[in-house]
Amino acid sequence: MTDRDGSYRLALSAPNAIAISASADGYLPQRAARPVQLTAEQATAEVDVALTPGGAELSGHVTDVLGGVVARAQVRLVHGVGFEEHATFALTDEDGAFRIWSAPGMVTLLASAEGYAAARLETVAPSRGLNVALTPGGSIRGQVLRARDREPVPGVLVRARSTTNPTDREDVFAT
């Protein structure tokens, strides 16, 4: 979250290329002009993001399949093609409510929370009164290691994908 003057600071654990994006109520989400490449010698970089007023609001709730609210669920909105492009995030409040802004058009909402299987909802922006229902599920933990010496590999994007529906897009992801 930005401070009153719009400033922010992100703490990063390892040097690598970072794409910076920002979104706020009443604005079109925006990415910085180019990714930032931090190195071990360069611990800090300045990156400004300019937001344009407008956009389309999507709002609703994340619930479990029995109708209970899911607080602190992550809602990821993807506009267009590709999970890495034009993604926006929101967290649900204590009542499971979320509000997120996008460019108008077809979007995908992906919701996830600890202890639940991820869920997807295809919809059109703008939309209100949406409900994304999560099913209680398990979790997978692990470690990504370099094959030759079993050393940890940081900053790797790990995805889970259904094997029963090979045309399905990824539902679960973590870094």
Side-chain angles (χ1 to χ4, degrees):
M1 299 295 287
T2 57
D3 293 332
R4 287 183 179 199
D5 65 353
S7 65
Y8 69 92
R9 181 178 179 87
L10 300 172
L12 304 171
S13 61
N16 52 31
I18 305 294
I20 304 295
S21 61
S23 61
D25 289 356
Y27 292 88
L28 286 166
Q30 185 62 46
R31 291 181 86 167
R34 57 188 158 88
V36 177
Q37 179 68 48
L38 291 180
T39 64
E41 296 80 32
Q42 177 193 15
T44 304
E46 295 280 331
V47 178
D48 294 335
V49 180
L51 296 180
T52 303
E57 178 184 352
L58 292 111
S59 60
H61 289 83
V62 175
T63 61
D64 64 29
V65 291
L66 300 175
V69 300
V70 180
R72 307 294 298 162
Q74 183 184 66
V75 178
R76 185 174 185 195
L77 181 144
V78 181
H79 187 273
V81 179
F83 275 32
E84 312 320 322
E85 297 296 321
H86 310 295
T88 305
F89 299 87
L91 289 177
T92 60
D93 64 17
E94 296 306 313
D95 297 321
F98 69 89
R99 188 163 79 174
I100 196 165
W101 290 76
S102 170
M106 291 297 301
V107 296
T108 301
L109 292 176
L110 302 171
S112 61
E114 187 71 31
Y116 293 91
R120 174 190 9 258
L121 176 66
E122 305 283 336
T123 190
V124 176
S127 290
R128 293 186 179 165
L130 299 170
N131 185 59
V132 185
L134 300 180
T135 302
S139 63
I140 299 171
R141 289 178 37 168
Q143 192 175 17
V144 177
L145 304 170
R146 202 167 40 215
R148 70 174 181 261
D149 56 12
R150 307 287 294 164
E151 287 294 314
V153 180
V156 176
L157 182 64
V158 178
R159 293 181 172 168
R161 171 173 247 171
S162 171
T163 59
T164 58
N165 186 356
T167 62
D168 200 13
R169 291 190 247 171
E170 299 91 61
D171 285 340
V172 182
F173 51 91
T175 303

